[in-house]
Amino acid sequence: ETESIVGGSAEPPGSLFLTPLSPTSMRVITATVFAAAASSGATNLSRNPIRRVVSMLQDMQKKIEAEGKAQEKAFHKFQCYCETNTKELTSAMVEGQAKLDQLGSDIEGAEAARKQTLSDLAGAKEDREEANKAIEDSEEMREKENKDFTSESGELKANIEAMGKAIPA
């Protein structure tokens, strides 16, 4: 159970038992008593001065208790706000850190994939150059073989023709 502003007394409001007050509360009470006494001078002459002071103190106690309850309510509202925001911020920080870690690993994975792709590209370029060189060599060899075939074929055709003429004769 929380303590009230008036000093945490368990006594009901309006009790004859007074609880210790803070210096600020005492100053407020004293100032109010003097102000009330000065303003009620002519109207309360018929009343007992002690009774007037007791009445003023009781009124002040009621006001202070009401202010204390209002402050306590505001404090609890603020405390709830702080706890809620602290939980939300902590949760957001944890999620942000997890996302940061995930993005860091994603970046590392992307860098590794990029390096692998560059390596594969360099290998593919080398393979393409080797293939182009092999094609050029094959074409040169084909041209040479074709040239040899054409010259040998022409020679063989001439021999066949000569044999064809020589046999019937």
Side-chain angles (χ1 to χ4, degrees):
E1 187 172 306
T2 60
E3 292 186 21
S4 68
I5 301 298
V6 179
S9 171
E11 308 301 328
S15 171
L16 294 178
F17 297 104
L18 295 177
T19 57
L21 299 175
S22 68
T24 305
S25 297
M26 287 299 291
R27 286 186 201 119
V28 170
I29 291 171
T30 306
T32 307
V33 168
F34 285 128
S39 68
S40 67
T43 59
N44 289 331
L45 288 178
S46 63
R47 292 173 95 194
N48 182 357
I50 294 175
R51 182 69 196 145
R52 282 191 321 215
V53 169
V54 170
S55 295
M56 284 190 293
L57 287 173
Q58 288 174 344
D59 290 343
M60 286 175 35
Q61 183 178 6
K62 289 177 186 175
K63 287 180 185 178
I64 290 172
E65 286 175 355
E67 289 174 2
K69 288 179 182 178
Q71 286 181 354
E72 187 174 338
K73 183 178 177 183
F75 174 76
H76 286 300
K77 191 174 183 180
F78 178 72
Q79 189 176 19
C80 180
Y81 169 79
C82 290
E83 289 173 1
T84 302
N85 279 353
T86 300
K87 288 177 186 175
E88 289 174 358
L89 290 175
T90 302
S91 173
M93 285 174 34
V94 168
E95 289 173 9
Q97 187 62 41
K99 189 169 185 173
L100 180 66
D101 293 342
Q102 177 64 37
L103 289 174
S105 65
D106 288 350
I107 289 172
E108 290 174 3
E111 282 293 322
R114 180 181 168 270
K115 287 179 183 177
Q116 180 63 39
T117 302
L118 290 176
S119 174
D120 291 348
L121 179 63
K125 284 182 179 180
E126 287 178 16
D127 291 346
R128 187 182 72 187
E129 288 174 8
E130 288 175 9
N132 285 339
K133 178 69 173 158
I135 289 172
E136 287 176 13
D137 291 344
S138 295
E139 286 177 352
E140 287 177 9
M141 194 157 101
R142 170 79 172 107
E143 286 176 13
K144 181 181 175 191
E145 287 176 354
N146 189 24
K147 187 177 174 185
D148 290 344
F149 174 77
T150 306
S151 67
E152 192 175 318
S153 173
E155 193 176 301
L156 288 174
K157 283 181 185 179
N159 286 339
I160 290 176
E161 262 183 51
M163 284 175 96
K165 289 179 186 179
I167 292 180

